[in-house]
Short mmCIF file of all heavy atoms in Angstrom, two decimals:
data_model
loop_
_atom_site.label_atom_id
_atom_site.label_comp_id
_atom_site.label_asym_id
_atom_site.label_seq_id
_atom_site.Cartn_x
_atom_site.Cartn_y
_atom_site.Cartn_z
N GLN A 167 -41.60 48.76 7.51
CA GLN A 167 -40.30 49.25 7.07
C GLN A 167 -40.15 49.05 5.56
O GLN A 167 -40.34 47.94 5.05
CB GLN A 167 -39.15 48.54 7.79
CG GLN A 167 -37.81 49.21 7.45
CD GLN A 167 -36.64 48.67 8.25
OE1 GLN A 167 -36.56 47.47 8.49
NE2 GLN A 167 -35.72 49.55 8.62
N GLU A 181 -41.70 45.50 4.91
CA GLU A 181 -41.70 44.46 5.94
C GLU A 181 -42.62 44.89 7.08
O GLU A 181 -42.56 46.02 7.56
CB GLU A 181 -40.29 44.20 6.51
CG GLU A 181 -40.34 43.09 7.56
CD GLU A 181 -39.00 42.58 8.04
OE1 GLU A 181 -37.94 43.06 7.58
OE2 GLU A 181 -39.01 41.67 8.91
N LEU A 183 -43.85 44.65 10.86
CA LEU A 183 -43.25 44.34 12.15
C LEU A 183 -44.24 44.66 13.26
O LEU A 183 -44.77 45.77 13.33
CB LEU A 183 -41.95 45.13 12.32
CG LEU A 183 -40.85 44.76 11.31
CD1 LEU A 183 -39.89 45.92 11.08
CD2 LEU A 183 -40.10 43.50 11.75
N VAL A 184 -44.48 43.69 14.12
CA VAL A 184 -45.52 43.87 15.13
C VAL A 184 -44.98 44.59 16.37
O VAL A 184 -43.79 44.46 16.72
CB VAL A 184 -46.13 42.49 15.52
CG1 VAL A 184 -45.17 41.66 16.36
CG2 VAL A 184 -47.47 42.65 16.24
N ARG A 185 -45.81 45.39 17.02
CA ARG A 185 -45.54 45.98 18.32
C ARG A 185 -46.76 45.77 19.20
O ARG A 185 -47.88 45.64 18.68
CB ARG A 185 -45.29 47.50 18.22
CG ARG A 185 -43.86 47.89 17.88
CD ARG A 185 -43.74 48.16 16.41
NE ARG A 185 -42.40 48.52 16.00
CZ ARG A 185 -41.43 47.64 15.69
NH1 ARG A 185 -41.67 46.34 15.75
NH2 ARG A 185 -40.24 48.03 15.32
N MET A 195 -41.56 46.46 22.23
CA MET A 195 -40.91 45.93 21.03
C MET A 195 -41.00 44.40 20.99
O MET A 195 -41.08 43.75 22.04
CB MET A 195 -39.45 46.38 21.00
CG MET A 195 -39.28 47.89 20.91
SD MET A 195 -40.15 48.61 19.51
CE MET A 195 -38.94 48.33 18.23
N PRO A 196 -40.92 43.83 19.79
CA PRO A 196 -41.08 42.37 19.67
C PRO A 196 -40.07 41.55 20.47
O PRO A 196 -40.41 40.47 20.96
CB PRO A 196 -40.93 42.11 18.16
CG PRO A 196 -40.64 43.40 17.52
CD PRO A 196 -40.88 44.49 18.48
N VAL A 216 -51.65 39.28 12.82
CA VAL A 216 -50.69 40.03 12.00
C VAL A 216 -50.95 39.78 10.52
O VAL A 216 -51.03 40.72 9.71
CB VAL A 216 -49.23 39.67 12.37
CG1 VAL A 216 -48.24 40.25 11.36
CG2 VAL A 216 -48.88 40.14 13.78
N ASN A 242 -43.33 38.31 8.91
CA ASN A 242 -42.48 37.35 9.63
C ASN A 242 -43.30 36.21 10.21
O ASN A 242 -44.38 36.42 10.75
CB ASN A 242 -41.77 38.06 10.79
CG ASN A 242 -40.73 39.05 10.28
OD1 ASN A 242 -39.65 38.66 9.86
ND2 ASN A 242 -41.08 40.33 10.32
N SER A 244 -43.23 32.65 12.78
CA SER A 244 -42.54 31.86 13.78
C SER A 244 -42.69 30.39 13.44
O SER A 244 -43.63 30.00 12.75
CB SER A 244 -43.14 32.09 15.17
OG SER A 244 -42.73 33.32 15.66
N ASP A 304 -34.84 34.81 6.15
CA ASP A 304 -34.47 35.96 6.98
C ASP A 304 -33.14 35.70 7.70
O ASP A 304 -32.78 34.55 7.92
CB ASP A 304 -35.58 36.16 8.02
CG ASP A 304 -35.66 37.56 8.56
OD1 ASP A 304 -34.83 38.41 8.19
OD2 ASP A 304 -36.57 37.81 9.37
N ASP A 305 -32.45 36.76 8.06
CA ASP A 305 -31.21 36.67 8.87
C ASP A 305 -30.22 35.71 8.23
O ASP A 305 -29.51 34.98 8.93
CB ASP A 305 -31.51 36.18 10.30
CG ASP A 305 -32.58 37.02 11.00
OD1 ASP A 305 -32.79 38.17 10.59
OD2 ASP A 305 -33.19 36.51 11.96
N GLN A 328 -28.28 41.67 9.12
CA GLN A 328 -27.73 43.01 9.33
C GLN A 328 -26.35 43.01 9.98
O GLN A 328 -25.61 43.97 9.81
CB GLN A 328 -28.72 43.88 10.09
CG GLN A 328 -29.21 43.33 11.39
CD GLN A 328 -30.33 44.21 11.95
OE1 GLN A 328 -31.33 44.50 11.28
NE2 GLN A 328 -30.18 44.65 13.17
N GLY A 362 -30.55 46.13 7.45
CA GLY A 362 -29.80 46.95 8.42
C GLY A 362 -28.84 47.94 7.78
O GLY A 362 -27.79 48.24 8.35
N ILE A 363 -29.20 48.49 6.61
CA ILE A 363 -28.36 49.50 5.97
C ILE A 363 -28.51 50.83 6.72
O ILE A 363 -29.62 51.34 6.86
CB ILE A 363 -28.78 49.71 4.49
CG1 ILE A 363 -28.66 48.40 3.71
CG2 ILE A 363 -27.95 50.82 3.85
CD1 ILE A 363 -29.22 48.49 2.29
N GLU A 364 -27.40 51.35 7.22
CA GLU A 364 -27.48 52.57 8.03
C GLU A 364 -26.73 53.76 7.43
O GLU A 364 -26.89 54.88 7.90
CB GLU A 364 -26.96 52.29 9.45
CG GLU A 364 -27.86 51.30 10.20
CD GLU A 364 -27.47 51.08 11.64
OE1 GLU A 364 -26.38 51.56 12.05
OE2 GLU A 364 -28.24 50.42 12.37
N GLY A 382 -33.29 49.47 5.89
CA GLY A 382 -32.52 49.88 7.06
C GLY A 382 -32.78 51.32 7.40
O GLY A 382 -33.48 52.03 6.67
N TYR A 383 -32.22 51.76 8.53
CA TYR A 383 -32.47 53.10 9.03
C TYR A 383 -32.06 54.18 8.03
O TYR A 383 -32.58 55.28 8.07
CB TYR A 383 -31.74 53.32 10.36
CG TYR A 383 -32.22 52.45 11.50
CD1 TYR A 383 -31.46 52.30 12.66
CD2 TYR A 383 -33.44 51.77 11.42
CE1 TYR A 383 -31.90 51.51 13.71
CE2 TYR A 383 -33.88 50.98 12.45
CZ TYR A 383 -33.10 50.84 13.61
OH TYR A 383 -33.53 50.06 14.64
N PRO A 388 -38.74 51.38 10.92
CA PRO A 388 -40.14 50.98 10.79
C PRO A 388 -41.04 52.15 11.17
O PRO A 388 -40.72 52.89 12.10
CB PRO A 388 -40.27 49.83 11.80
CG PRO A 388 -38.89 49.30 11.95
CD PRO A 388 -38.00 50.49 11.83
P1 C2E B 945 -36.22 40.87 11.87
O1 C2E B 945 -37.29 40.15 11.14
O2 C2E B 945 -34.81 40.53 11.54
O3 C2E B 945 -36.54 42.41 11.64
C1 C2E B 945 -35.55 43.41 11.50
C2 C2E B 945 -35.35 44.16 12.79
O4 C2E B 945 -34.24 45.05 12.60
C3 C2E B 945 -36.53 45.04 13.19
O5 C2E B 945 -36.57 45.08 14.61
C4 C2E B 945 -36.11 46.40 12.65
O6 C2E B 945 -36.68 47.49 13.34
C5 C2E B 945 -34.64 46.37 12.87
N1 C2E B 945 -33.92 47.24 11.93
C6 C2E B 945 -34.32 47.64 10.71
N2 C2E B 945 -33.39 48.43 10.11
C7 C2E B 945 -32.37 48.53 10.98
C8 C2E B 945 -31.11 49.21 10.95
O7 C2E B 945 -30.74 49.90 10.00
N3 C2E B 945 -30.30 49.06 12.03
C9 C2E B 945 -30.67 48.33 13.11
N4 C2E B 945 -29.81 48.25 14.13
N5 C2E B 945 -31.86 47.67 13.18
C10 C2E B 945 -32.69 47.77 12.12
P2 C2E B 945 -37.93 44.86 15.41
O8 C2E B 945 -39.07 45.53 14.71
O9 C2E B 945 -37.66 45.23 16.81
O10 C2E B 945 -38.18 43.31 15.29
C11 C2E B 945 -37.29 42.40 15.89
C12 C2E B 945 -37.60 40.99 15.50
O11 C2E B 945 -38.87 40.58 16.02
C13 C2E B 945 -37.71 40.79 14.00
O12 C2E B 945 -36.42 40.67 13.46
C14 C2E B 945 -38.50 39.49 13.95
O13 C2E B 945 -37.65 38.38 14.12
C15 C2E B 945 -39.41 39.63 15.15
N6 C2E B 945 -40.75 40.06 14.71
C16 C2E B 945 -41.20 41.29 14.44
N7 C2E B 945 -42.50 41.25 14.05
C17 C2E B 945 -42.87 39.96 14.07
C18 C2E B 945 -44.09 39.25 13.76
O14 C2E B 945 -45.11 39.82 13.35
N8 C2E B 945 -44.07 37.90 13.93
C19 C2E B 945 -42.95 37.22 14.32
N9 C2E B 945 -43.03 35.90 14.46
N10 C2E B 945 -41.80 37.84 14.62
C20 C2E B 945 -41.76 39.19 14.49
#
Side-chain angles (χ1 to χ4, degrees):
Q167 188 174 39
E181 181 171 0
L183 296 154
V184 72
R185 275 98 181 85
M195 297 304 277
V216 169
N242 291 284
S244 285
D304 204 358
D305 307 338
Q328 54 188 54
I363 301 173
E364 295 185 351
Y383 296 165

